[in-house]
Amino acid sequence: MKKSVRSAGARLLFLALLLAGLSIARLHAQSPSDASFLASLGQLREVSFPDKETIIAQLAQSGHPSAQSALTALLEDRLYFRNDDQMVFLLKAPAADDATSLTLVDPVTLKDAGSAPVENLTKIGTNNHLRRVLQTTLARFRLSSPDAAVRLGAVHDIEQNLDEGNVKLLRERVAAETDSKVKAEISTSLAMADLDSPDAPVRLAAIAVLHKSLRQDVLNKLSGVAGTSDGGEGDSDPQVRAAAQSAVKSITRWRTMYSWCETLFFGLSLGSVLVLIAIGLAITFGVMGVINMAHGELMMLGAYTTYLVQVAMPNHGEISILVAIPAAFLVAALMGILIERTVIRFLYGRPLETLLATFGVSLILQQLVRSIFTALNRSVNTPNWMSGTLQVNDALSVTYNRLYIVIFTLLVFAALFVVLKRTRVGLEIRAVSQNRAMARAMGIRSEWVDALTFGLGSGIAGVAGVALSQLTNVNPNLGQSYIIDSFMVVVFGGVGNLWGAMVGGMSMGVVNQLLEPYAGAVLAKIFVLIVLILFIQTRPRGLFPPTGRSSENQ
Amino acid sequence: MPNYTLWISARKDSGSAWFLGALAAIAVIVPVLNLAVPAASPFHVSAFGLTLVGKYLCYALLALSVDLIWGYCGILSLGHAAFFSLGGYAIGMYLMRQIGSRGVYGNPELPDFMVFLNYKSLPWFWHGFNHFAFALLMMIVVPAVLAFAFGWFAFRSRVTGVYLSIITQALTYALMLAFFRNDMGFGGNNGFTDFKDILGFDLHSDKVRVTLLVFTAVVLGASYLACRAIVASRAGRVMRAIRDAESRARFLGYRVESFKLWIFVFSAVLAGIAGALYVPQIGIINPSEFSPINSIEVVIWVAVGGRGTLYGAAAGALLVNYAKTYFTSTIPEAWYYALGTLFVLVTLFLPRGIVGLVTGRARKRKTATRPAVPAETPEPSRK
Amino acid sequence: MNYRKTRIAGWLLAAGMAFTGLAMSSTAQAQDTIKVGVLHSLSGTMAISETTLKDTILMMIDEQNKKGGLLGKKLEAVVVDPASNWPLFAEKAQELLEKDKVAVVFGCWTSVSRKSVLPVFEKDNGLLFYPVQYEGEESSKNVIYTGAAPNQQAIPAVEYLMNEVGVKRWVLEGTDYVYPRTTNKILEAYLLAKGVKPEDISINYTPFGYSDWQARVAAIKKFGSAGKKTAVVSTINGDANVPFYKELGNQKISAQDIPVVAFSVGEEELSGLDAKPLVGHLAAWNYFESINTPTNKAFIEKWHTFIKNPKRTTNDPMEAHFIGFNLWVKAVQKAGTTDTEKVIAALPGLETPNLTGGIAKVLPNHHITKPVYIGEVRADGMFDVVWKTTGTVPGEAWSRYLPSDKDIVADWVTLKCGNYNKATKACSGQNYK
C-alpha cells in the first residue's frame, strides 16, 4: 500500500537526458550556464524529494553566480513558481501569513521582477532531510563570509560531511583564517579528517590536537581509534592506540565533571521553580496562618496575564514578558486581596477552615478561567533573548530560559527580603505576625496589614506564574500540578520562613535531579517525598522552625 | 472495655437513632425498588441507581473514618484516600485473580496486564489473593500496618497541625506516583478493571449488586455504632481532651501518642474497608484514587456535613456527592462553580455544617468572626 | 437536644437518599427524539482534548437535524461531564444507557476511560464510537474504533523514518501507561525484526504531567550524538508534550539533527505552543487540517461557523467522530431502527467518505480503514504532508508483530468473537455473554 519507490537511477537518467536536451534547446535563448541553471531550477518543481537532492548538488557544483541565492531561498521557503507560466522565482521576503501578493526576484539576474498574487504562486517544498543537505551545501559558500559567527556555523555544518572536497576547502581556509575560534574549530575538523590518514605520524599529530577537545563526536571517533568502543579493535599502530586511549580517558574525565555541573544546574533550576511557587505560600501561611489552596490558581492567573500582555503587545515580543511581571503581580495581588476580604477575613485562627474555603475558591477560579479562555492551552512565546542555549564549552550548555529563571528567583527573593526587613510595611507585617495584640496597641491597623500580606503572597504567586508560562502549559489546570509541591517545600523549609523556602526548594530540586539518572523520574520523586516525611519526624517544624510562644498555636 | 451504659443512657442521642433508621430504610427500600418493582415503573431503581447508592454509602463510611480522627481527636489527615485505595486494591487483586482464564489473553494464572508486560510469573505479593479470606485480611492489615508505621513516627515526634496534614498528603502522593508505575505490578495507570465475579457470583447481576449494597449498609451501621461506642467511652473523652488541649492532656499523664496512634490505625482500617466495598460496586480501581485532591474532598464532605457528629460526616458525604452527580449531569459545563460556591458558603456560614444548621446551634456561632486578640495561651480552639 | 430539629434532619437525610435513588433511575419519558450520548470530559486534565470532541458531535447533530433528523425524529444530545475521573466515566456511561436510554454514545479518549466503561456497555448492550488512536489489544462487540490502531499510525511512521530518512538509532519516549507501552512493545519487535541492534534502541517512560525535561532531553541529545542518525518516536501524552517541545527548542535540538515523530500531537496541541522552534518535527495521523480537499474545506468552514471562532483548528479525532457519526446514521437508516443489536449488525461493511478524499469502511473487527499521513510541523502550527500511503490501511486490533497476538483475530460477523485464537480455536476475553 505504500508509495512505490521509484528507481532513482532511472529518474537520474531521464533527468540527465532532459537537461541535455533543454540546454541544447535553449542554446540560442540564453547563455548555456544560465539555461542549465534555469532548467535545474525548473526541475525542482515536480520531482520527488530524493531527486531534489541530486539537483541541489548539481546546482551547487554548477558555479553559477546565483546558485547560492537560489539555494538559500529554497532553504528559507522562498522559492516559488508561477502557476500560469511555470517560471521559477525567488521571493524578496518570506511569505507572511496574510499576504495577498508577493514581490518576486528573478533567479538569474537577482533583480526585482514585479509581483504576483498569492493564489498564482506555489511554493517549492522541502523536507527535513533536504533542509539538512541544503545547510551543508550552503556552508561551503558561507565559509568565506565576512562575519566570524557565520563562518563558525559554516564549519559546524561542514563537519557533518567531511568528504575530500570539504577537507580541501577547510585546509585552504585555515591558512587565511583570522578569527581564533574559527581557526581552532577548523583545526579540530581537519584533525578529525586526519584520523583516517594512512600515515601513523599524521594520526598521532591529529590525536595530539584532539586531546584537548571536549566534543562528543571527537570522543566517539577517538574511542574507535583506541579500540575501546564495542566491536572495534582500534588502530593498527600501538603508539597511536596508546595515545588515543589516554586522550579518551582525559576527555571522558572532563566530560563527566561537566555533566555533574550540568546536573547541578538542572537541580538548581528545578529548585528555583519550587522556590518561586512556595515563597508566596510561605508568607501567607507563616505570617497569617492561612492555608491557601487557591495558591495554584493565583499562579495560573499570573500565567494567563502573561498570555494577555503578549496578545496586547503583538509587536513587542521581546519586552512583553518584562511588562507582564508587574502586571501579573498586580492581577494576582488584587485577586488575593479580594479573596482575603470576602472569605479569609472571617476565618482567622482556623487554618483548616481556610483550607476548605480556599479549595472552593480554587474551583471557582478554575471554572472562571475555563469559561473565559476555554480549556485549551494558550501559547506563550519565549522572547528571543530568553531562548536558546549558552554554550559554556563543548561539554556544558545551559539553556537561557532556565538561567534567567534562576536569576529571577534570586531577584524576587532578594526583593521580598528587602521589603520584609527594611520597609515600614514589612515591619508591620512582622509585628502583626509575632504579636497581633501588641501591634494593634502600637497603632498598626491589623486588618489592612492582613490584606496587604495576603496580597503580597498572592502577587508573588502571580509572578511565579509568569515564570511557569515559559516552561509549561498555560491552561486552567496549571495550578493543580504545582500546589502539592509548593506545600511540600513550605513544610520542609519551615512555615513562614523565607530562607526555609529558599533552602528547602533548592535542596529538593537538586536531590531530585541528582537521583533521576539512576532511579528514573518517578522513583526520584517518591524518594524525595519519603525523605521529607522522615525529615519532618526528626524536625517536626521544618528546617527553620518559627520560634517563640506564638508558634505553639500552629 | 467500652462503657456501654454511657451510650445507651439518657443522652438520648436521637441523631444517631435517625441516622440508623434512615440507613435501615435505604437498605430495605432501595433493593425492593430494584428487585420487586418492574422496570417500566417510574419507581424502579436501575442498576445505575444501585451503584450510585452503594457508592454514596462507601463514601459515607470513609467520611466517618475521617470524622472520627478529626472531629474527635483533632488529627486532620489529608491522605486518607491512601488507606481507602489500599483496601480497594486488596479486594481488586482478589477480583483480578478470579477472572482467571476469561481475560483477554486467556492466561489462567496471570492477569491481562501482566501478560502484556511480559511477566513470566506472578509477583510474590500476589500470591494468596485467590482466596477471599486472604483478601479480607489484607484489606484490613495493609492500611493498618501503614497507618501504624506512619503514625508511630509522626506522633512520637509530636508532628501536629498543618505539618501532619501536609505529610499525610506527601504519603498519599508518593503512593499515587508509585502505583502509577507500570513496573510496580499493580496495573499502572489502567489499574484493575473488567471484573467478572466475586465468590462465584456474577458482579454484574442485580441480585449481587443488591447484596453488596445491603452489606455496605450493614457495615456502615456497624462501624457507626463502633465509632459511637469509642467516642462515648472513656477513651473518647481522652481523645476530645487531646483535641482541645493536647499539651494539657499530656501533662495530666495521658499517653497522648498511644491514643492518637490507635485511633489513627482504627480509622485507617475503616477507610480500607470502605475502599474494599467500593471497588466491587464501581468495577474499577485506579491509582488516581490515591490523589491528594480526593483526600481533600473527603475532608470537605465532613466539614459540610458537620464535624464532630459522626452522622453529620455521613450526611455530608451523601449530600456533596449527590450534588456532584446532579451537577455533572445537569450543568456539565459549570458544575465547578456550583460546587466551589457550596464549599465557600458552607465554610463561611455553617461552621458546624449542615447538621449544625439543622440543630440550630449554627445561629449562635455565625456572628463570631476573627477574634480581636489572638490568645497568647493556647485557647481551646478546634483545629 | 432539640428533638424536632434532629427529626427533620433525619427525615431530610432519608428523603434525600430515597430521592437520589429514584431521580437517578427514573425511566426517560417517551419523547419524539432520538437521544445521542456524549461522554467526554469537560473538566480536569483531559478537558483540553475532549471538549472539542463534544462540540464536534453537537455540530454533527445540528447538521443532521437540519437535514430532517433521523428516521423522522429529531436528534437530541445528552451531554455529561465525567471530569477526567475514570470511575465517574463508568458511572456516567451507566447513567446514559440506563437513565437517559440513549441510542448511541460518542465518547472517551484515554484507554483507561474506555476500559472502565467497557463492562457497562457490554452488560447494557450499548454502542460506543471511540475516536482516538489507541494501542489495540481489544475488540468489543459494543465498540466501533474510529481511531487509529498501531498499524495505522505507528508502524507507517517508523517505516518512513527508516526508509526515507535513514534513521539508524531510535529513542522510544513515552508516558508511562498502556498506550505507549503497547506501541513501544510493537515497535521494538518491529525494529528488531528489521535488523536494528538492541543497543541502538532506547526505551524510556516518564509519568503523566512530567514537566522538567532538562535531564531527559540532554540524555536524548547524548544518545543521538553517537554518530548514527537518530530519531525520537514520541508517545508522550497530554500535558507533558508542551514542556517537552519547549525544552527541545531551548536545547536547540532541531528537526534536522534529531527528528521527533509524535502520535499524540496534532493541530490542537500545537495551537498552545510556539511552533517556530519545532518546524520540521513530525507527526503521524490519518488526517491533517492542511489537506486540501473540498470535503475538508467544507468541514473546516462549518466548524468555524459553529464554534464562532475562525482560528480554531480541526484535528484527527474530530475527523474520527465525523466518520463515526455518519456511519451510525447510515447504519440506523439501513437497519430502519435505533435498536443497538440491529445497528451493530448493520455496521460492518458500511462505507462513508472521510475528509481527505478517501472512503472509510467498517471492518468485521469493528475497526475502519484509514489512510496514513506523515506531516512536518510548519511555523504556523499546521502540518505539511511529506508522505502518505497510496490507499487506506485496514485497522488491525491484534498486532502481527507481537508473539502473544499473532494467532488472535477479531471477527464479529462470522466468528462473533473479539479475540479468537486460531491456534487453540477458542474465544476468550471480550466476549459478551
Side-chain angles (χ1 to χ4, degrees):
Chain A
M1 304 239 184
K2 284 203 311 268
K3 198 177 188 179
S4 52
V5 179
R6 293 167 224 166
S7 149
R11 294 283 296 181
L12 205 57
L13 189 61
F14 170 69
L15 205 59
L17 285 172
L18 198 55
L19 268 174
L22 272 172
S23 49
I24 294 171
R26 287 222 179 158
L27 207 54
H28 309 290
Q30 285 160 291
S31 79
S33 55
D34 281 349
S36 63
F37 177 70
L38 270 175
S40 305
L41 279 184
Q43 290 311 311
L44 284 173
R45 284 195 323 264
E46 309 127 352
V47 302
S48 66
F49 288 126
D51 298 327
K52 279 189 193 173
E53 193 178 336
T54 329
I55 301 173
I56 289 170
Q58 276 178 344
L59 282 167
Q61 303 286 12
S62 70
H64 192 279
S66 314
Q68 187 186 2
S69 316
L71 289 175
T72 318
L74 180 58
L75 177 63
E76 293 172 4
D77 284 338
R78 285 190 295 114
L79 199 66
Y80 278 66
F81 67 89
R82 226 177 5 211
N83 292 351
D84 35 15
D85 61 3
Q86 301 287 298
M87 298 249 313
V88 176
F89 288 98
L90 282 57
L91 289 186
K92 204 153 188 178
D97 277 350
D98 49 357
T100 44
S101 95
L102 303 166
T103 338
L104 305 173
V105 172
D106 184 275
V108 174
T109 59
L110 295 182
K111 294 208 178 45
D112 275 5
S115 64
V118 132
E119 308 81 49
N120 204 16
L121 294 170
T122 315
K123 188 175 75 165
I124 297 181
T126 51
N127 69 359
N128 257 343
H129 183 67
L130 275 182
R131 270 178 243 131
R132 205 195 165 114
V133 166
L134 279 166
Q135 270 191 317
T136 328
T137 317
L138 283 168
R140 313 182 78 188
F141 294 109
R142 294 204 325 262
L143 204 54
S144 31
S145 154
D147 185 351
V150 173
R151 288 205 300 277
L152 193 59
V155 175
H156 281 137
D157 287 334
I158 291 181
E159 272 167 357
Q160 315 290 344
N161 180 20
L162 280 173
D163 60 14
E164 277 200 32
N166 283 339
V167 172
K168 193 153 143 271
L169 203 63
L170 284 177
R171 278 198 218 282
E172 285 165 15
R173 186 67 214 161
V174 75
E177 183 56 58
T178 46
D179 185 282
S180 55
K181 243 173 131 183
V182 182
K183 198 164 180 143
E185 201 64 33
I186 299 180
S187 308
T188 315
S189 311
L190 286 174
M192 289 273 277
D194 279 339
L195 278 179
D196 297 323
S197 150
D199 295 327
V202 172
R203 292 204 300 273
L204 262 177
I207 293 178
V209 171
L210 293 174
H211 196 103
K212 293 186 234 63
S213 169
L214 286 170
R215 279 166 37 182
Q216 179 71 41
D217 49 352
V218 169
L219 181 62
N220 290 342
K221 196 146 187 181
L222 281 176
S223 302
V225 171
T228 50
S229 68
D230 21 66
E233 321 84 39
D235 199 272
S236 46
D237 186 313
Q239 224 185 355
V240 172
R241 245 198 337 266
Q245 272 161 8
S246 92
V248 164
K249 260 216 279 278
S250 153
I251 298 179
T252 315
R253 222 186 22 245
W254 277 106
R255 280 192 67 91
T256 315
M257 196 203 82
Y258 280 116
S259 146
W260 279 108
C261 288
E262 195 181 47
T263 310
L264 186 67
F265 176 73
F266 291 160
L268 285 176
S269 65
L270 174 63
S272 66
V273 173
L274 287 175
V275 167
L276 263 181
I277 62 181
I279 218 163
L281 201 63
I283 295 175
T284 48
F285 190 24
V287 174
M288 305 165 63
V290 170
I291 304 181
N292 183 9
M293 288 298 292
H295 190 77
E297 275 60 41
L298 292 166
M299 292 196 284
M300 176 192 58
L301 285 179
Y304 271 93
T305 311
T306 318
Y307 166 71
L308 286 173
V309 166
Q310 203 169 74
V311 164
M313 304 169 60
N315 300 321
H316 303 279
E318 304 304 309
I319 55 171
S320 69
I321 196 172
L322 295 172
V323 171
I325 295 174
F329 183 88
L330 272 172
V331 167
L334 286 173
M335 178 57 78
I337 294 180
L338 178 70
I339 297 175
E340 202 270 341
R341 289 281 93 194
T342 51
V343 175
I344 313 271
R345 180 156 63 114
F346 306 106
L347 298 172
Y348 280 119
R350 292 141 67 184
L352 302 168
E353 252 94 339
T354 60
L355 181 148
L356 303 180
T358 50
F359 185 69
V361 170
S362 85
L363 289 183
I364 296 175
L365 282 176
Q366 277 185 50
Q367 188 62 44
L368 196 65
V369 169
R370 198 175 304 145
S371 316
I372 302 177
F373 292 99
T374 79
L376 294 174
N377 279 334
R378 293 281 153 196
S379 86
V380 172
N381 297 341
T382 313
N384 285 334
W385 51 272
M386 262 183 81
S387 42
T389 42
L390 176 66
Q391 197 84 28
V392 174
N393 58 33
D394 282 324
L396 181 61
S397 64
V398 157
T399 51
Y400 275 119
N401 68 339
R402 293 272 178 181
L403 185 63
Y404 280 119
I405 287 177
V406 174
I407 297 173
F408 180 64
T409 308
L410 295 171
L411 285 174
V412 166
F413 182 77
L416 206 53
F417 210 73
V418 162
V419 163
L420 279 182
K421 293 277 191 250
R422 302 233 183 251
T423 63
R424 173 84 195 168
V425 171
L427 186 67
E428 289 183 4
I429 292 175
R430 278 183 292 138
V432 168
S433 72
Q434 284 173 19
N435 193 329
R436 185 178 290 264
M438 212 53 196
R440 290 186 65 168
M442 303 283 285
I444 296 175
R445 298 181 61 191
S446 62
E447 296 94 0
W448 275 117
V449 172
D450 284 336
L452 273 175
T453 317
F454 202 77
L456 182 65
S458 313
I460 303 286
V463 161
V466 174
L468 285 176
S469 73
Q470 296 301 311
L471 297 175
T472 179
N473 308 280
V474 175
N475 63 37
N477 295 333
L478 179 114
Q480 296 297 307
S481 354
Y482 287 99
I483 187 82
I484 306 288
D485 285 320
S486 57
F487 276 122
M488 302 297 153
V489 173
V490 169
V491 162
F492 179 53
V495 146
N497 196 302
L498 288 189
W499 280 114
M502 170 64 92
V503 171
M506 284 298 185
S507 47
M508 276 175 80
V510 169
V511 168
N512 195 313
Q513 285 295 329
L514 283 176
L515 283 175
E516 222 178 88
Y518 304 107
V522 178
L523 282 179
K525 192 88 196 258
I526 294 175
F527 183 76
V528 170
L529 287 169
I530 294 180
V531 165
L532 175 71
I533 294 175
L534 293 174
F535 177 81
I536 293 290
Q537 323 283 8
T538 50
R539 283 179 79 101
R541 303 219 174 263
L543 271 176
F544 298 95
T547 47
R549 290 178 72 192
S550 58
S551 66
E552 279 304 304
N553 278 350
Q554 305 278 5
Chain B
M1 231 346 236
N3 190 335
Y4 289 111
T5 51
L6 262 180
W7 71 269
I8 302 176
S9 74
R11 273 177 54 110
K12 286 214 178 80
D13 196 356
S14 47
S16 291
W18 281 108
F19 172 72
L20 290 172
L23 195 59
I26 292 166
V28 167
I29 295 175
V30 172
V32 160
L33 287 181
N34 173 263
L35 292 173
V37 172
S41 154
F43 286 105
H44 174 76
V45 171
S46 63
F48 166 66
L50 281 180
T51 319
L52 215 57
V53 176
K55 180 174 95 156
Y56 293 162
L57 292 178
C58 294
Y59 282 154
L61 182 56
L62 177 60
L64 199 68
S65 71
V66 170
D67 192 24
L68 183 65
I69 52 170
W70 184 26
Y72 290 94
C73 201
I75 305 170
L76 177 63
S77 161
L78 289 181
H80 250 56
F83 306 122
F84 181 80
S85 312
L86 284 172
Y89 264 93
I91 204 78
M93 284 163 85
Y94 163 76
L95 292 171
M96 287 299 272
R97 294 291 304 269
Q98 290 302 103
I99 298 178
S101 50
R102 288 171 293 174
V104 169
Y105 297 104
N107 186 316
E109 174 86 0
L110 300 174
D112 286 338
F113 73 90
M114 289 193 194
V115 175
F116 148 77
L117 284 171
N118 291 336
Y119 278 59
K120 296 288 172 274
S121 61
L122 216 54
W124 61 268
F125 46 85
W126 276 79
H127 284 109
F129 274 100
N130 47 341
H131 302 294
F132 185 65
F134 186 76
L136 272 185
L137 186 67
M138 281 295 117
M139 91 185 170
I140 294 178
V141 164
V142 173
V145 165
L146 180 67
F148 186 83
F150 183 81
W152 171 272
F153 288 111
F155 298 135
R156 227 136 265 276
S157 315
R158 314 246 184 113
V159 184
T160 53
V162 80
Y163 293 92
L164 182 68
S165 311
I166 300 296
I167 58 168
T168 52
Q169 263 207 340
L171 178 71
T172 193
Y173 188 50
L175 279 171
M176 181 180 89
L177 288 176
F179 273 74
F180 261 118
R181 294 185 75 229
N182 273 293
D183 297 327
M184 285 279 284
F186 285 105
N189 178 59
N190 268 14
F192 304 149
T193 181
D194 207 19
F195 305 129
K196 306 279 185 227
D197 51 41
I198 183 169
L199 284 174
F201 300 107
D202 175 21
L203 263 178
H204 300 297
S205 83
D206 276 1
K207 282 209 182 58
V208 174
R209 283 194 198 275
V210 162
T211 320
L212 283 171
L213 177 72
V214 171
F215 189 63
T216 313
V218 166
V219 169
L220 178 61
S223 313
Y224 179 82
L225 288 173
C227 291
R228 261 277 163 256
I230 293 176
V231 155
S233 71
R234 191 161 168 276
R237 280 196 182 151
V238 177
M239 282 185 341
R240 278 197 287 276
I242 295 172
R243 174 195 73 199
D244 293 340
E246 185 171 323
S247 308
R248 209 176 281 173
R250 191 177 290 121
F251 295 144
L252 280 172
Y254 290 104
R255 296 189 60 200
V256 166
E257 287 74 31
S258 299
F259 278 96
K260 277 177 147 179
L261 182 61
W262 288 112
I263 203 69
F264 191 65
V265 167
F266 182 71
S267 155
V269 167
L270 280 185
I273 295 175
L277 289 167
Y278 173 82
V279 168
Q281 301 189 62
I282 293 297
I284 175 172
I285 179 84
N286 167 270
S288 55
E289 293 291 345
F290 281 102
S291 87
I293 298 293
N294 279 15
S295 307
I296 296 176
E297 278 191 42
V298 179
V299 170
I300 298 221
W301 303 337
V302 175
V304 165
R307 189 187 355 151
T309 54
L310 288 183
Y311 52 80
L318 261 54
L319 188 71
V320 175
N321 281 294
Y322 173 69
K324 202 165 162 190
T325 310
Y326 181 72
F327 288 138
T328 51
S329 308
T330 43
I331 42 166
E333 317 262 356
W335 64 273
Y336 261 50
Y337 281 137
L339 226 52
T341 325
L342 177 71
F343 296 158
V344 173
L345 291 179
V346 164
T347 335
L348 278 181
F349 298 116
L350 300 178
R352 303 270 301 195
I354 300 285
V355 164
L357 169 71
V358 169
T359 55
R361 276 189 252 168
R363 289 190 200 109
K364 289 195 214 129
R365 284 285 216 111
K366 211 165 87 172
T367 48
T369 54
R370 180 169 50 78
V373 177
E376 288 286 304
T377 55
E379 67 174 297
S381 61
R382 296 170 138 221
K383 289 217 186 91
Chain C
M1 211 184 262
N2 192 330
Y3 294 146
R4 200 156 60 86
K5 293 278 159 67
T6 46
R7 201 175 299 149
I8 297 174
W11 274 117
L12 274 177
L13 201 60
M17 296 215 46
F19 229 63
T20 304
L22 290 177
M24 288 291 119
S25 63
S26 60
T27 56
Q29 301 274 36
Q31 274 170 15
D32 217 13
T33 61
I34 298 179
K35 297 208 164 130
V36 175
V38 181
L39 188 63
H40 282 302
S41 305
L42 305 175
S43 58
T45 51
M46 296 314 299
I48 300 173
S49 318
E50 296 196 53
T51 321
T52 312
L53 293 184
K54 175 226 16 153
D55 290 323
T56 310
I57 293 293
L58 291 181
M59 178 178 85
M60 302 293 299
I61 290 179
D62 207 36
E63 276 276 308
Q64 188 65 27
N65 280 339
K66 287 202 184 93
K67 289 192 220 155
L70 188 61
L71 297 182
K73 300 195 201 153
K74 288 271 182 246
L75 294 174
E76 181 192 335
V78 181
V79 179
V80 290
D81 179 15
S84 309
N85 182 320
W86 321 133
L88 210 51
F89 260 96
E91 182 183 307
K92 291 296 170 195
Q94 252 188 327
E95 187 181 316
L96 285 174
L97 291 174
E98 294 176 23
K99 174 174 158 255
D100 299 303
K101 302 234 187 313
V102 298
V104 65
V105 176
F106 292 88
C108 294
W109 181 289
T110 60
S111 285
V112 186
S113 61
R114 190 191 71 249
K115 285 209 184 288
S116 70
V117 305
L118 208 52
V120 176
F121 275 92
E122 293 188 341
K123 160 125 197 294
D124 291 343
N125 204 19
L127 176 59
L128 172 71
F129 280 82
Y130 177 68
V132 183
Q133 94 270 27
Y134 82 120
E135 68 278 5
E137 313 289 298
E138 186 184 299
S139 173
S140 169
K141 176 181 169 238
N142 300 88
V143 182
I144 303 287
Y145 305 84
T146 49
N151 75 312
Q152 291 170 310
Q153 196 185 29
I155 301 277
V158 167
E159 275 174 349
Y160 169 78
L161 285 173
M162 210 187 277
N163 302 328
E164 311 275 333
V165 182
V167 174
K168 301 265 185 301
R169 262 163 92 83
W170 304 84
V171 178
L172 303 181
E173 187 73 40
T175 305
D176 189 7
Y177 75 110
V178 95
Y179 169 63
R181 290 237 172 213
T182 318
T183 309
N184 286 344
K185 208 172 150 185
I186 296 174
L187 287 180
E188 191 186 7
Y190 176 79
L191 288 172
L192 290 173
K194 294 279 175 190
V196 178
K197 291 203 277 278
E199 58 266 18
D200 282 334
I201 306 177
S202 159
I203 307 185
N204 196 62
Y205 295 103
T206 47
F208 271 103
Y210 190 58
S211 59
D212 197 85
W213 285 94
Q214 301 178 87
R216 195 59 221 131
V217 169
I220 291 176
K221 209 167 164 188
K222 186 144 182 268
F223 189 79
S225 49
K228 296 190 218 171
K229 181 88 184 155
T230 313
V232 176
V233 179
S234 155
T235 34
I236 299 170
N237 197 285
D239 283 353
N241 269 311
V242 170
F244 174 63
Y245 280 108
K246 277 189 149 130
E247 194 64 35
L248 279 180
N250 277 311
Q251 293 206 21
K252 289 258 186 278
I253 296 183
S254 75
Q256 282 124 294
D257 306 323
I258 304 180
V260 175
V261 67
F263 302 139
S264 309
V265 174
E267 289 86 347
E268 192 148 280
E269 286 73 26
L270 285 183
S271 71
L273 261 181
D274 179 16
K276 281 191 236 41
L278 306 178
V279 166
H281 284 302
L282 304 151
W285 288 105
N286 311 111
Y287 164 88
F288 284 117
E289 186 180 346
S290 57
I291 293 176
N292 202 345
T293 61
T295 16
N296 197 14
K297 286 227 162 332
F299 179 74
I300 295 170
E301 227 176 272
K302 250 184 294 175
W303 170 244
H304 288 164
T305 327
F306 180 81
I307 204 77
K308 300 192 185 50
N309 183 344
K311 289 205 172 20
R312 284 287 287 269
T313 54
T314 56
N315 62 11
D316 185 303
M318 286 173 67
E319 193 218 19
H321 261 345
F322 170 84
I323 295 173
F325 187 84
N326 288 338
L327 283 172
W328 175 70
V329 165
K330 282 204 166 97
V332 169
Q333 286 165 341
K334 180 169 164 202
T337 164
T338 54
D339 174 63
T340 328
E341 197 69 37
K342 300 207 174 67
V343 171
I344 291 178
L347 275 165
L350 271 185
E351 291 181 350
T352 189
N354 59 26
L355 290 174
T356 53
I359 302 280
K361 180 173 160 177
V362 183
L363 302 165
N365 60 7
H366 281 187
H367 284 68
I368 60 174
T369 57
K370 305 186 83 151
V372 187
Y373 295 95
I374 311 283
E376 276 187 14
V377 178
R378 278 203 316 234
D380 61 357
M382 290 289 126
F383 289 90
D384 273 334
V385 177
V386 293
W387 183 88
K388 63 179 173 150
T389 50
T390 28
T392 51
V393 179
E396 286 171 10
W398 303 97
S399 171
R400 65 181 80 172
Y401 296 100
L402 291 180
S404 55
D405 293 0
K406 268 194 303 83
D407 294 322
I408 304 187
V409 75
D411 183 336
W412 290 103
V413 176
T414 33
L415 294 171
K416 299 255 187 272
C417 179
N419 32 340
Y420 180 80
N421 194 319
K422 287 187 290 201
T424 62
K425 303 244 188 295
C427 189
S428 70
Q430 234 81 51
N431 52 334
Y432 163 71
K433 284 198 251 288

